[in-house]
Amino acid sequence: MRGCVLLAVGMIPWIMHSQVVSFDEVKPFFMSEWSTNIDYYMWWKSVVFLALAVPSAVLILVLIGLHRARFLKLPGFFALSYLALIWVSTLASPYFQTNLWGFPNQYQGALVQSGYVILFFAAMLAFHKPRAFWQLQVALGVSIVVVSAIGLCQYAGLRPLDSDWMQALILGDDVREAHITFNDGGRVASTLYNANYVGSFVALLLPLVTSF
């Protein structure tokens, strides 16, 4: 089994390399998209995410120094290998800044990807007691209710995110002056900006919902 996993991991870089597209070829497309399409949530997601990842990294290092951190060896190995590949790719790229911060309107560069790895290790430390799993279920439950409620409104033809009170709640004055609308071609996008992301959200959390 481990041999199959290692083989799959070894093939991933080769597969990804075969899909490489020159940044210069796609840059005009992205620039034209940004002028008409903005994912406001992605920026704040990256800011909040990094704000959580930094103290988590400090806490992990402190626990390691106190010899109180225990990680599963195989998942930890793969996570660290992924982290190493992220930074090797970033440092070797001719587009360092883009790799570091990510595309504007995406913000999924090396810093955010490293944050995923850090929070993965933090989760390994945190979720080892039944009470911790219950707290996680409550947090995810609140998220499910909010995303689903807005999605159902959109399915019914309503657009709550474009209402004055909602935009006052989630947008700053300078951004509101741009008259941003949250509309994914009439499809249900909720607060996830894109209907494809809603599909991923449902696929990930459906097992949790059915287990209640």
Side-chain angles (χ1 to χ4, degrees):
M1 181 63 182
R2 288 187 179 183
C4 293
V5 173
L6 291 174
L7 178 62
V9 171
M11 291 179 63
I12 290 174
W14 177 78
I15 294 173
M16 295 302 295
H17 181 73
S18 67
Q19 303 298 319
V20 170
V21 177
S22 172
F23 177 66
D24 295 327
E25 295 177 16
V26 298
K27 184 176 180 180
F29 167 75
F30 279 103
M31 292 301 182
S32 62
E33 276 290 299
W34 297 334
S35 64
T36 59
N37 204 4
I38 181 171
D39 184 354
Y40 180 78
Y41 299 103
M42 191 65 75
W43 163 252
W44 285 111
K45 171 193 169 184
S46 64
V47 171
V48 173
F49 193 77
L50 290 175
L52 293 173
V54 171
S56 297
V58 173
L59 179 60
I60 290 171
L61 293 175
V62 170
L63 292 176
I64 291 175
L66 296 175
H67 304 286
R68 295 178 58 185
R70 295 182 180 180
F71 302 106
L72 297 175
K73 292 183 179 180
L74 189 59
F77 168 76
F78 284 128
L80 289 176
S81 299
Y82 175 60
L83 182 63
L85 290 173
I86 290 171
W87 285 101
V88 168
S89 173
T90 300
L91 295 173
S93 172
Y95 308 106
F96 176 77
Q97 290 295 329
T98 302
N99 277 266
L100 183 65
W101 299 103
F103 280 116
N105 206 29
Q106 290 295 323
Y107 310 107
Q108 294 290 312
L111 291 176
V112 172
Q113 294 295 324
S114 299
Y116 287 129
V117 176
I118 292 170
L119 293 185
F120 171 76
F121 281 107
M124 290 177 67
L125 292 175
F127 298 112
H128 60 277
K129 295 181 180 180
R131 179 175 176 80
F133 282 101
W134 178 82
Q135 293 171 340
L136 177 63
Q137 287 180 326
V138 171
L140 290 175
V142 172
S143 174
I144 291 170
V145 169
V146 173
V147 172
S148 299
I150 295 176
L152 288 172
C153 289
Q154 292 174 335
Y155 182 77
L158 305 175
R159 298 172 62 179
L161 295 180
D162 290 336
S163 64
D164 292 337
W165 70 272
M166 182 65 82
Q167 293 222 350
L169 179 65
I170 63 178
L171 299 179
D173 293 336
D174 54 338
V175 180
R176 290 175 63 192
E177 292 176 359
H179 302 290
I180 293 174
T181 59
F182 300 92
N183 182 26
D184 188 25
R187 299 181 297 175
V188 173
S190 190
T191 62
L192 302 177
Y193 171 70
N194 189 299
N196 293 332
Y197 301 157
V198 176
S200 300
F201 181 84
V202 172
L204 288 171
L205 295 182
L206 185 60
L208 175 66
V209 174
T210 55
S211 67
F212 283 158

